Structure formats: C-alpha cells, structure tokens
Amino acid sequence: MIYILLIIAIFTAEYFVKEYVEKHYKEHQNKKALGGLILTTKYHNKGAFLDAGSSKTAFVKWISVGLTIVLTVLFIVTLGKKGKMALKLGLAFLLGGAYSNTYDRIKRKYVVDYFRINAPFAFVRKVIFNISDFCIIIGALIVALQK
C-alpha cells in the first residue's frame, strides 16, 4: 500500500506544482531560487527528454502511454510477490513520474517543465526539468541497482 501512496503523492504534488507554474509564470520567465542555484523557468516540452521528438507529439504521447502501461502491469505483478521491496519502490517512483508526464501529454499536449540547475556549464543550464523527471531517474536507478 505504501508504494501506491507514493505514486499518488508524486502525481498529486506534481499536478499542483504544474498548475501553479501554468497560472503564475510566463513561458521562459526565469526566477532565482535557493540563492540562485536553481532557476525556475516555465517551459512547455512537446517532446521527450531535451524536447526530442517535439515535431512528432502524437508518437511521443503514445510511446509514453505504452511504456506507462507496461510499467503498470509490471508493478501490479510485482505487488503480488513477497519481498522485492527495492523493485516495488523503484517502480513506484517511475510510475509517479510517468503518470504525471503522460497525463500532461494527453491533457495539455505538452509536459510542463519548470526548473533548471544554474550550473557554470551552459549545456547543464539549458536542461529544464520537473520533479517527475527526477522521480523517473531515481526509480530507474533503484530498479537497475536492486538485487
């Protein structure tokens, strides 16, 4: 049950953060946070990571839906097995982020990204994330490293 609550918490938190960003930020508007370490920047990502596939939004959407369904089935199967706590945790993080971003792709036709790291390297500063992206990365790492 804790894993399902984690998925719901990630999705719900992201929903409200994205709604706030949509209502209170102009696209590409920058604001400094955490002493300038983080830049909040509203961006409508019509593709996947780094806007890849932005000219093929329907394709990106259906790939997202398909992968989310596959992960959901794997999660449901895993939930019925004793142990496998790391796998369940990793899948919960993955699904919380995947549900949020897939919801955006279906409902909004783009994913709301809203912060970036104000690093000294320009290529790092250009990448705009959302919390779901980090949950997907964390979940993938946990799944990959679990025994």
Side-chain angles (χ1 to χ4, degrees), residues 117-147:
I117 300 167
N118 193 13
F121 309 106
F123 68 91
V124 174
R125 278 193 314 274
K126 287 182 183 181
V127 181
I128 305 173
F129 303 94
N130 59 41
I131 296 300
S132 292
D133 296 335
F134 280 100
C135 290
I136 291 167
I137 292 166
I138 290 165
L141 286 171
I142 292 170
V143 168
L145 298 174
Q146 59 95 27
K147 293 180 182 182

Side-chain angles (χ1 to χ4, degrees), residues 49-69:
F49 182 69
L50 296 176
D51 222 11
S54 61
S55 63
K56 298 181 183 341
T57 56
F59 177 74
V60 172
K61 175 179 74 174
W62 290 112
I63 289 293
S64 181
V65 168
L67 290 173
T68 302
I69 290 170

Side-chain angles (χ1 to χ4, degrees), residues 63-127:
I63 289 293
S64 181
V65 168
L67 290 173
T68 302
I69 290 170
V70 168
L71 286 172
T72 301
V73 170
L74 178 60
F75 180 69
I76 292 168
V77 169
T78 304
L79 271 182
K81 297 187 179 192
K82 191 171 182 160
K84 304 208 180 267
M85 290 171 35
L87 179 58
K88 292 174 189 175
L89 180 65
L91 289 170
F93 271 103
L94 269 164
L95 284 171
Y99 288 152
S100 176
N101 284 347
T102 301
Y103 172 83
D104 275 5
R105 286 189 178 97
I106 293 168
K107 180 81 172 167
R108 303 177 202 269
K109 310 294 187 235
Y110 55 83
V111 174
V112 178
D113 289 332
Y114 51 84
F115 77 91
R116 52 199 174 111
I117 300 167
N118 193 13
F121 309 106
F123 68 91
V124 174
R125 278 193 314 274
K126 287 182 183 181
V127 181

Side-chain angles (χ1 to χ4, degrees), residues 3-68:
Y3 306 107
I4 294 170
L5 291 175
L6 178 60
I7 293 169
I8 293 168
I10 292 166
F11 179 87
T12 303
E14 269 288 80
Y15 176 83
F16 286 110
V17 170
K18 289 175 178 180
E19 285 294 310
Y20 180 86
V21 168
E22 285 288 88
K23 289 178 183 167
H24 294 94
Y25 281 71
K26 293 179 179 143
E27 192 158 11
H28 302 291
Q29 175 185 9
N30 292 313
K31 294 182 183 178
K32 290 184 179 181
L34 295 176
L37 177 64
I38 301 292
L39 296 174
T40 56
T41 305
K42 177 179 166 181
Y43 180 70
H44 293 162
N45 185 348
K46 295 181 179 159
F49 182 69
L50 296 176
D51 222 11
S54 61
S55 63
K56 298 181 183 341
T57 56
F59 177 74
V60 172
K61 175 179 74 174
W62 290 112
I63 289 293
S64 181
V65 168
L67 290 173
T68 302

